[in-house]
Amino acid sequence: MWRYLVGGVAALAMAGAGVLVFGTHGVPAPLLAARGDPGIATAQLDTPLPTSVPEALPATREQKRFDRYDKDRDGKITRDEYLAQRRKAYAKLDTNHDGRLSFGEWAVKAATKFSTADRDASGTMTATEFATTAVKRKPKARLKCPPAAKTVEEES
């Protein structure tokens, strides 16, 4: 019986300590300084807050995609600009250049891609062979940093 009583008192003591440690809702220092508390430095309040929100400068992914298509940079994508990239890919497949893509012309590209990926010529592709058929993406251009400035010690 005493064990239950001592356990209950210990649980209440732990709950009280938790309330004291985690339950205090202190007021942040800038608010205390604004109220004029003498113990808080008011140097933070001397600088004025900005009046406007800064604009986001880096182009978004869609803006960059739009800019790739908008070749004449007039802010509009014409039908010809939109289809230019497709025409290049189509022209590569249209081997007889008649303006029509036959099944045979398309099949040559697909069969070539398959045979290139099937390195062991087994007629089937393993997972590693299939992974080579993924579209190759161009790596992002690395930022070009200027060379480090030489110090006085390095020059002498």
Side-chain angles (χ1 to χ4, degrees):
M1 179 72 176
W2 285 101
R3 288 187 293 187
Y4 296 117
L5 185 61
V6 171
V9 171
L12 286 174
M14 287 177 53
V19 168
L20 288 176
V21 172
F22 298 111
T24 59
H25 299 288
V27 179
L31 294 177
L32 291 175
R35 292 183 185 165
D37 286 351
I40 307 295
T42 58
Q44 298 173 18
L45 300 176
D46 292 341
T47 57
L49 295 174
T51 57
S52 64
V53 177
E55 296 283 330
L57 296 180
T60 63
R61 185 178 198 166
E62 282 302 310
Q63 183 65 42
K64 289 177 185 177
R65 183 171 166 258
F66 183 88
D67 290 342
R68 280 195 305 269
Y69 280 89
D70 186 18
K71 297 296 182 187
D72 59 0
R73 300 289 184 242
D74 63 350
K76 299 174 188 167
I77 298 175
T78 62
R79 184 174 192 272
D80 290 335
E81 288 173 331
Y82 184 74
L83 297 176
Q85 292 183 359
R86 304 292 184 252
R87 284 191 183 113
K88 290 176 187 176
Y90 187 87
K92 288 179 184 177
L93 294 176
D94 186 17
T95 55
N96 62 1
H97 306 292
D98 64 349
R100 292 184 291 172
L101 187 63
S102 67
F103 179 77
E105 290 170 326
W106 177 82
V108 167
K109 174 71 175 177
T112 303
K113 193 171 191 176
F114 183 89
S115 63
T116 304
D118 185 21
R119 295 188 185 210
D120 59 358
S122 63
T124 60
M125 283 191 285
T126 63
T128 33
E129 290 173 337
F130 180 73
T132 63
T133 64
V135 176
K136 306 290 187 265
R137 304 220 182 253
K138 293 180 183 176
K140 291 184 179 180
R142 300 189 85 176
L143 296 177
K144 294 179 179 157
C145 298
K150 292 184 178 181
T151 62
V152 175
E153 296 170 0
E154 291 176 1
E155 291 177 358
S156 54

